[in-house]
Amino acid sequence: VCKPALVNIADLPTPALVVDLAAFEHNVTTMGAAWPGTSLRPHVKAWKCTSLARRLHERGHVGFCCATVREIDGMLAAGLGDDLLLANQVVGVNAKRLGDVVARADGRVTVAVDSDATIDAAAAAHVEEVLVDVNVGMPRCGCAPDDAGRLADRARAAGLTVRGVMGYEGHLMMEGAATKAEKVEAAMAILLRAHEAVGGDVVSGGGTGTYATNRWVTELQAGSFALMDTDYGRLGSPFRQALHLHTTVISVGRKWAVLDAGLKAIAMDHGNPTVADGDVWFVSDEHTTYAPAEGGALPRVGDHVRVVPAHVDPTIAKHERMHLVDGEEIVDVWDIDLRHW
Amino acid sequence: VCKPALVNIADLPTPALVVDLAAFEHNVTTMGAAWPGTSLRPHVKAWKCTSLARRLHERGHVGFCCATVREIDGMLAAGLGDDLLLANQVVGVNAKRLGDVVARADGRVTVAVDSDATIDAAAAAHVEEVLVDVNVGMPRCGCAPDDAGRLADRARAAGLTVRGVMGYEGHLMMEGAATKAEKVEAAMAILLRAHEAVGGDVVSGGGTGTYATNRWVTELQAGSFALMDTDYGRLGSPFRQALHLHTTVISVGRKWAVLDAGLKAIAMDHGNPTVADGDVWFVSDEHTTYAPAEGGALPRVGDHVRVVPAHVDPTIAKHERMHLVDGEEIVDVWDIDLRHW
């Protein structure tokens, strides 16, 4: 991927992903104060970018979570493989790929297991270390809590080192403040009971939405905090919106304007993106139609407008690179080099 | 991009995009019977793939629609530039890029204009031919119908050749059968009145959702028909579902199973994807959680499951390549080489 010469933001083709470097640094500092060093295991899936990961590594967060074999492969190749956790299950072809990646690279790779099949796949792939993934209330991956001890025994019998447990309380990330502490404690009580049966040093879990609530894990799996989105922004945390899409107004109608960024540039699973002082009407493949907020003037064709996505992870995965800015000046360009599978 | 050796579908890493070659050929034949030769102007944005475009070119559909400068650039580079229409507005940096692309390539490029600014940008970029884009009822791009004649005069005064008009009745693609014909006729009446004021040979519009209804355009701008999605599938057209995601079951819970394809592999703007004989509960970054339909058995870890997306265009834009299959055998691999902007 060729990097454009560093220029002013106004010289960028649109749409383009832009990161406010000061906001990013603020977010990293804020999270690092709460979860210093290896107590934070940043989740690579949120931004799929070794350049960003390296900034966290420099702050002492040298262990990372990954969600795909490609992320593991890329992090190892970038020399960021001190302690990688594939916090996801792999079997079949993907387990074989993971084995190939681990065999040829220097680095430490631990993989999540939650079933006999995933334990057998890890052993067959010659991955040496595992965490037992425990379901703590969200219907996704993770074994039944009562089964965690048996799975740990099976893993050890298969020659694997069991480092501990992980459990992701994803269903509580957006829980309201009044009930969040109580519900997170209950979910983590499930994880801690499983940990007693499993053993090991690691209790891994949590995310940006529970960074201030979860006091039970030994390491927090958070990624979105670094760049943020409007969904997590609703929680009122100290993290600042660091990411936006730089777009151009390409058409102006009677009451609306059209931007040149659409479904291929912006993830829609958490709802419409946000335009400052505007109401987004709808998003098409390559367009966003919006109207100025009550009383506001329509922009002019050629104007630039900032669009903020509702969900950071799948938005970033649509782009080739992000542009780091100090005000209007582009100071760095980071390839989004861990995309796909 | 390296192409995997041609293998059986079961040997693919997951998730992977798969295209049923027979269904694709059926769709192309069916559309070609209704809109032969250059009366069909296939829309590249739906699949962003020069290999697929070449199949249509071989059938005599030698003119194409594009939505981005990157698509124009790639189609020209692939030798598919007989008659390309950038059916979208460009100004500023992107207009300059379009000019650079046109200047260095052999081929014919026409660009849509709907304002003084986009006409001036086209002239400055030394694009020679334009269509006047007319709003026919959807609040997106397109000039006010009454302004089309003035814009055509302005374009000719700027030295541009005005080939005619385009107008996309996108708001009527999913209109019910009872009212579709009447509403499409009304929208096209707007376009035809504008065409009288503009002149030229071309009246461009329509899409997969109105391919059987729109009798007024001289060329149909359709793309989704080639591969289809569950949204267009609801219309009951003769086009077959040719695209699916090949996924692996990585975890099985009490009542649900988890697939290794999520928001980064499947576009969500038209709603959840579909799993045969299953109900999709929710989609996460790298997972889809679903339950078997009433009475169905849970799958086993390692099983492969087909996922069909609700919206083809932004789903394909998430992937590097698609795998063409005849049954379980992979017979070709097509790079999705026109992604990004």
Side-chain angles (χ1 to χ4, degrees):
Chain A
V1 180
C2 76
K3 294 192 179 190
L6 304 188
V7 289
N8 189 284
I9 192 173
D11 300 324
L12 282 177
T14 52
L17 269 190
V18 172
V19 172
D20 183 304
L21 185 55
F24 166 73
E25 297 283 0
H26 164 85
N27 293 344
V28 173
T29 298
T30 301
M31 183 60 93
W35 296 87
T38 53
S39 72
L40 179 69
R41 187 184 282 281
H43 212 317
V44 166
K45 79 177 175 75
W47 14 265
K48 290 181 172 284
C49 172
T50 55
S51 297
L52 195 161
R54 187 163 286 115
R55 296 294 184 106
L56 293 164
H57 194 276
E58 289 165 0
R59 302 283 192 111
H61 309 300
V62 303
F64 290 89
C65 272
C66 295
T68 66
V69 176
R70 179 79 72 98
E71 289 171 8
I72 294 281
D73 193 12
M75 290 290 284
L76 286 167
L80 295 167
D82 305 58
D83 183 7
L84 299 177
L85 168 62
L86 182 54
N88 201 359
Q89 278 66 23
V90 285
V91 290
V93 177
N94 285 350
K96 182 172 184 318
R97 291 171 61 219
L98 179 65
D100 292 344
V101 164
V102 170
R104 72 169 181 258
D106 286 332
R108 182 180 189 184
V109 176
T110 302
V111 64
V113 295
D114 71 350
S115 64
D116 292 359
T118 48
I119 288 169
D120 295 348
H126 301 292
V127 177
E128 294 177 7
E129 299 180 287
V130 299
L131 289 186
V132 176
D133 187 0
V134 180
N135 185 303
V136 296
M138 180 170 68
R140 210 169 66 185
C141 299
C143 68
D146 290 347
D147 202 30
R150 183 190 71 80
L151 289 171
D153 292 342
R154 183 187 176 103
R156 292 193 180 99
L160 297 161
T161 298
V162 180
R163 294 182 65 187
V165 294
M166 65 165 268
Y168 180 55
E169 72 280 24
H171 56 307
L172 302 177
M173 288 297 132
M174 302 307 293
E175 183 73 20
T179 48
K180 182 175 257 181
E182 179 188 356
K183 290 190 176 181
V184 171
E185 182 168 8
M188 290 300 104
I190 295 170
L191 186 59
L192 293 178
R193 278 199 303 276
H195 183 229
E196 285 177 22
V198 167
D201 297 329
V202 176
V203 179
S204 193
T208 295
T210 58
Y211 94 102
T213 320
N214 193 324
R215 304 173 192 286
W216 299 275
V217 294
T218 62
E219 55 178 47
L220 191 83
Q221 298 181 359
S224 302
F225 73 92
L227 301 177
M228 290 295 284
D229 55 36
T230 61
D231 198 51
Y232 271 129
R234 291 189 289 119
L235 290 178
S237 74
F239 304 114
R240 295 180 189 160
Q241 185 60 46
L243 182 82
H244 75 266
L245 260 175
H246 176 64
T247 76
T248 302
V249 176
I250 57 168
S251 186
V252 176
R254 292 191 312 282
K255 299 177 180 176
W256 65 87
V258 184
L259 307 175
D260 62 354
L263 301 172
K264 289 162 186 167
I266 305 162
M268 296 296 289
D269 53 280
H270 282 21
N272 278 340
T274 301
V275 172
D277 302 323
D279 300 315
V280 171
W281 286 5
F282 64 98
V283 183
S284 314
D285 275 318
E286 297 287 0
H287 304 110
T288 294
T289 296
Y290 82 100
E294 195 72 41
L298 285 164
R300 302 201 318 172
V301 174
D303 285 355
H304 293 303
V305 171
R306 288 181 177 218
V307 175
V308 182
H311 194 185
V312 58
D313 313 44
T315 295
I316 288 181
K318 293 168 182 278
H319 293 264
E320 295 176 288
R321 60 189 73 92
M322 49 186 119
H323 306 84
L324 282 288
V325 299
D326 175 3
E328 297 289 304
E329 185 192 358
I330 299 173
V331 295
D332 207 351
V333 180
W334 291 349
D335 289 341
I336 303 166
D337 53 352
L338 303 175
R339 305 194 303 156
H340 312 114
W341 300 274
Chain B
V1 179
C2 75
K3 293 192 179 190
L6 304 189
V7 288
N8 190 282
I9 192 173
D11 300 325
L12 283 177
T14 53
L17 269 189
V18 172
V19 172
D20 183 304
L21 185 55
F24 165 73
E25 297 283 359
H26 163 85
N27 292 344
V28 172
T29 299
T30 302
M31 183 60 94
W35 295 86
T38 53
S39 73
L40 179 69
R41 186 184 282 281
H43 211 318
V44 166
K45 79 179 175 73
W47 14 264
K48 291 182 173 283
C49 172
T50 54
S51 297
L52 195 161
R54 188 163 286 114
R55 295 294 184 107
L56 294 164
H57 193 276
E58 290 165 359
R59 302 283 192 112
H61 310 301
V62 302
F64 290 89
C65 272
C66 295
T68 66
V69 175
R70 179 79 72 100
E71 289 171 9
I72 293 281
D73 193 11
M75 289 289 284
L76 286 167
L80 295 167
D82 306 59
D83 182 7
L84 299 176
L85 167 62
L86 182 54
N88 201 359
Q89 279 65 25
V90 285
V91 291
V93 176
N94 285 350
K96 183 172 182 317
R97 291 171 60 218
L98 178 65
D100 293 345
V101 164
V102 170
R104 71 167 180 260
D106 286 333
R108 182 180 189 185
V109 175
T110 301
V111 64
V113 295
D114 72 350
S115 64
D116 292 0
T118 48
I119 289 169
D120 295 349
H126 301 293
V127 177
E128 294 177 7
E129 298 180 288
V130 298
L131 289 185
V132 176
D133 187 1
V134 180
N135 185 304
V136 296
M138 181 170 66
R140 209 169 67 186
C141 299
C143 67
D146 291 347
D147 202 30
R150 182 191 71 79
L151 290 171
D153 292 343
R154 183 187 176 104
R156 292 191 179 100
L160 297 161
T161 298
V162 180
R163 293 181 65 188
V165 294
M166 66 166 267
Y168 180 56
E169 72 279 26
H171 57 306
L172 302 177
M173 288 297 131
M174 303 306 295
E175 182 74 20
T179 48
K180 183 175 255 181
E182 178 188 356
K183 290 190 177 180
V184 170
E185 181 168 9
M188 290 300 104
I190 295 170
L191 186 59
L192 294 177
R193 279 199 302 276
H195 182 229
E196 286 176 21
V198 166
D201 297 328
V202 176
V203 179
S204 194
T208 294
T210 58
Y211 94 101
T213 320
N214 193 325
R215 305 172 191 286
W216 299 275
V217 294
T218 62
E219 54 178 48
L220 191 82
Q221 299 181 358
S224 301
F225 73 92
L227 301 177
M228 290 296 284
D229 55 35
T230 62
D231 198 52
Y232 272 129
R234 291 190 289 121
L235 291 177
S237 74
F239 304 114
R240 295 180 189 159
Q241 185 61 46
L243 182 83
H244 76 266
L245 260 175
H246 176 64
T247 76
T248 302
V249 175
I250 57 169
S251 186
V252 176
R254 291 192 310 282
K255 300 178 181 178
W256 65 87
V258 184
L259 307 175
D260 63 353
L263 302 172
K264 289 161 185 168
I266 305 162
M268 297 294 291
D269 53 280
H270 282 22
N272 277 341
T274 300
V275 173
D277 302 322
D279 301 315
V280 172
W281 286 5
F282 63 97
V283 184
S284 313
D285 275 319
E286 298 287 0
H287 304 109
T288 294
T289 296
Y290 81 100
E294 195 72 42
L298 284 164
R300 301 201 317 172
V301 173
D303 286 353
H304 293 302
V305 172
R306 288 182 175 218
V307 175
V308 182
H311 194 186
V312 57
D313 313 45
T315 295
I316 289 182
K318 294 170 181 278
H319 293 264
E320 295 177 289
R321 61 188 74 92
M322 49 186 119
H323 307 85
L324 282 287
V325 298
D326 175 3
E328 297 289 306
E329 185 193 357
I330 299 173
V331 295
D332 207 350
V333 181
W334 291 349
D335 290 340
I336 303 167
D337 53 350
L338 303 175
R339 306 193 302 157
H340 311 115
W341 300 273

